[in-house]
């Protein structure tokens, strides 16, 4: 950490000198040379380094060292974010009826209930669902807060993505089981991928994408942002993600960027969407955050701070669970929680 250089003494000396000069008895200089001499003496006194208590050359060197140290810290944080052992663990959101949602996800979407826990001291319950073990697959973490049966999804959250080999067949199965289809199967606007949209009991949208066999069917979380380039820069530097692809759709006035820790046909990714001219969104109170694994929550928090992120929860153990986490906000206010990899593995034992 660079030390600040005190200048109080210098300020005090300057102030004292000016005050002394200003309050001396007035007198009339007898000649122009004398007047010039007096002004030169004052100027000389004000610029004497020793009089002001500052060694000029040392001050310049110290400022240069501080700037170099800041640059080095930023570069080190960027390297840490890239080298850290990170992956998307789960996405967290709130539901009004936990059992009803679990039934919908297992019966209509084909997910498995991976685990369930109740934290009575904190008055909430969680259920984790997905298409494979949590130690190797992305999952959803449903949160039920005691006594709360409805939430506002807002306009900022977009959808979750599920990859299937036959969208039409999947949609018919969902419809047959009472699921709500909000967009019939067909090519995506501005592209050729066949998609459909459905809604779960709480109104969360799921995009069903047609794709070949994949090890990660739960493949996307889409969030809307107000400045796409700013968001890409933040997720690359602070989170160590890669920009996997970017697609402009001027006909429909939107641009998307896929961010993640590996190829999107094998890993869950974050889809950032910019709608032309829209800078802010209502985030509601339903969607919560994405969780990302890290080898060190303390070092991760420092890196996020250095690279412009806002820490909303300092690193440390989570009450009732003792898993170490840290939480932060991106430039649009979307929350992410980093979870200690070792502690997360212990949760799964």
């Amino acid at each position: 950490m660079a030390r600040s250089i005190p200048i109080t003494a210098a300020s005090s000396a300057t102030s004292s000198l000016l005050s002394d000069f200003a309050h001396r008895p007035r007198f009339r200089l007898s000649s122009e040379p004398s007047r010039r001499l007096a002004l030169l003496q004052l100027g000389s006194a004000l610029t004497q380094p020793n009089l002001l208590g500052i060694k000029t050359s040392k001050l310049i060197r110290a400022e240069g060292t501080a700037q170099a140290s800041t640059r080095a810290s930023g570069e080190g944080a960027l390297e840490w974010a890239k080298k850290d052992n990170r992956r998307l663990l789960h996405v967290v959101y709130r539901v009004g009826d936990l059992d009803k949602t679990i039934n919908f996800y297992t019966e209509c979407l084909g997910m498995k209930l991976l685990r369930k826990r109740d934290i009575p001291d904190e008055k909430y319950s969680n259920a984790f669902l997905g298409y494979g073990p949590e130690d190797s697959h992305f999952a959803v973490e449903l949160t039920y807060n005691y006594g709360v049966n409805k939430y506002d999804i807002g306009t900022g959250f977009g959808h979750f993505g599920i990859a299937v080999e036959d969208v039409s067949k999947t949609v018919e199965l969902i419809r047959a089981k009472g699921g709500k289809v909000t967009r019939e199967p067909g090519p995506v606007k501005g592209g050729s991928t066949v998609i459909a949209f459905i809604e779960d009991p709480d109104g969360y949208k799921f995009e069903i994408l047609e794709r070949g066999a994949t090890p990660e069917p739960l493949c996307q979380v889409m969030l809307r942002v107000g400045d796409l380039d700013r968001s890409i820069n933040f997720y690359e530097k602070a989170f160590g993600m890669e920009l996997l692809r970017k697609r402009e759709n001027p006909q429909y006035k939107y641009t998307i960027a896929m961010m993640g820790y590996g190829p999107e046909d094998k890993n869950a990714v974050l889809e950032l969407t910019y709608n032309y001219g829209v800078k802010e969104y209502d985030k509601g109170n339903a969607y919560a955050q994405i969780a990302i694994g890290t080898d060190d929550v303390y070092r991760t928090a420092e890196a996020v701070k250095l690279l412009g992120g806002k820490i909303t929860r300092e690193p440390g153990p989570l009450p009732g669970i003792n898993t170490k986490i840290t939480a932060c906000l991106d430039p649009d206010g979307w929350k992410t929680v980093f979870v200690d990899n070792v502690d997360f593995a212990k949760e799964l034992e």
Side-chain angles (χ1 to χ4, degrees):
M1 183 180 292
R3 292 185 300 173
S4 60
I5 300 172
I7 59 171
T8 306
S11 301
S12 178
T14 305
S15 177
S16 176
L17 181 63
L18 289 172
S19 177
D20 181 57
F21 183 81
H23 290 87
R24 286 177 185 172
R26 296 179 180 237
F27 58 90
R28 185 179 184 84
L29 297 177
S30 59
S31 65
E32 186 63 27
S34 299
R35 190 156 47 246
R36 282 200 301 269
L37 178 61
L39 292 172
L40 285 171
Q41 288 172 338
L42 173 62
S44 176
L46 289 173
T47 56
Q48 285 294 322
N50 288 336
L51 177 62
L52 299 181
I54 298 174
K55 298 290 186 180
T56 306
S57 61
K58 288 184 178 180
L59 176 60
I60 294 172
R61 284 198 300 272
E63 288 175 344
T65 301
Q67 292 172 357
S69 175
T70 300
R71 284 195 299 271
S73 297
E75 290 168 1
L78 181 59
E79 285 302 309
W80 161 251
K82 290 290 185 184
K83 293 178 180 178
D84 189 19
N85 183 25
R86 296 182 179 179
R87 73 176 181 91
L88 300 184
L89 301 179
H90 45 254
V91 59
V92 186
Y93 50 104
R94 304 172 181 93
V95 298
D97 186 326
L98 192 58
D99 291 334
K100 183 178 181 180
T101 305
I102 290 172
N103 288 338
F104 179 84
Y105 286 12
T106 54
E107 294 178 13
C108 292
L109 302 181
M111 293 186 188
K112 297 177 181 178
L113 175 61
L114 303 171
R115 60 187 170 112
K116 193 176 179 182
R117 69 187 179 196
D118 188 45
I119 314 295
D121 290 345
E122 300 293 324
K123 297 183 179 180
Y124 73 91
S125 300
N126 293 134
F128 295 80
L129 298 97
Y131 294 99
E134 287 182 75
D135 59 0
S136 58
H137 288 73
F138 191 50
V140 297
E141 178 183 339
L142 307 177
T143 298
Y144 169 69
N145 292 298
Y146 293 4
V148 184
N149 57 22
K150 191 173 182 180
Y151 293 94
D152 174 21
I153 293 177
T155 59
F157 169 78
H159 59 259
F160 306 114
I162 296 178
V164 300
E165 295 187 56
D166 189 328
V167 168
S168 295
K169 185 177 179 180
T170 301
V171 166
E172 286 310 310
L173 177 63
I174 292 171
R175 199 194 315 268
K177 290 182 176 291
K180 181 180 179 182
V181 179
T182 59
R183 183 195 190 277
E184 295 295 333
V188 65
K189 290 181 179 178
S192 58
T193 302
V194 176
I195 67 166
F197 276 93
I198 64 144
E199 281 186 9
D200 77 357
D202 290 273
Y204 291 102
K205 287 184 171 62
F206 281 80
E207 181 181 25
I208 312 299
L209 305 97
E210 194 158 278
R211 184 181 290 177
T214 174
E216 187 54 271
L218 185 58
C219 59
Q220 292 177 3
V221 177
M222 191 275 260
L223 302 174
R224 299 181 177 94
V225 298
D227 185 328
L228 189 59
D229 290 335
R230 178 185 66 180
S231 295
I232 291 170
N233 183 63
F234 176 82
Y235 281 97
E236 284 182 323
K237 291 183 177 179
F239 285 14
M241 289 185 180
E242 298 176 52
L243 173 60
L244 303 171
R245 66 185 172 98
K246 187 177 179 182
R247 190 180 78 219
E248 295 271 359
N249 290 282
Q251 181 181 356
Y252 298 101
K253 298 182 180 181
Y254 75 92
T255 305
I256 63 169
M258 298 295 190
M259 310 288 299
Y261 296 108
E264 60 181 299
D265 61 337
K266 297 179 181 179
N267 299 271
V269 300
L270 178 62
E271 178 183 346
L272 303 177
T273 297
Y274 169 66
N275 292 299
Y276 292 6
V278 184
K279 299 297 183 183
E280 294 183 1
Y281 293 93
D282 172 18
K283 294 180 179 58
N285 61 359
Y287 174 85
Q289 71 250 355
I290 287 177
I292 298 175
T294 175
D295 285 340
D296 190 331
V297 296
Y298 299 93
R299 194 170 178 185
T300 292
E302 288 303 313
V304 169
K305 289 177 185 176
L306 282 169
L307 295 168
K310 180 181 179 182
I311 298 296
T312 57
R313 189 188 192 284
E314 292 296 332
L318 192 64
I321 303 173
N322 293 323
T323 297
K324 292 187 289 296
I325 70 167
T326 188
C328 64
L329 300 180
D330 78 354
D332 289 273
W334 293 115
K335 184 180 177 182
T336 298
V337 172
F338 285 90
V339 182
D340 182 89
N341 284 324
V342 173
D343 290 347
F344 182 67
K346 289 178 181 178
E347 281 190 35
L348 304 180
E349 292 176 352

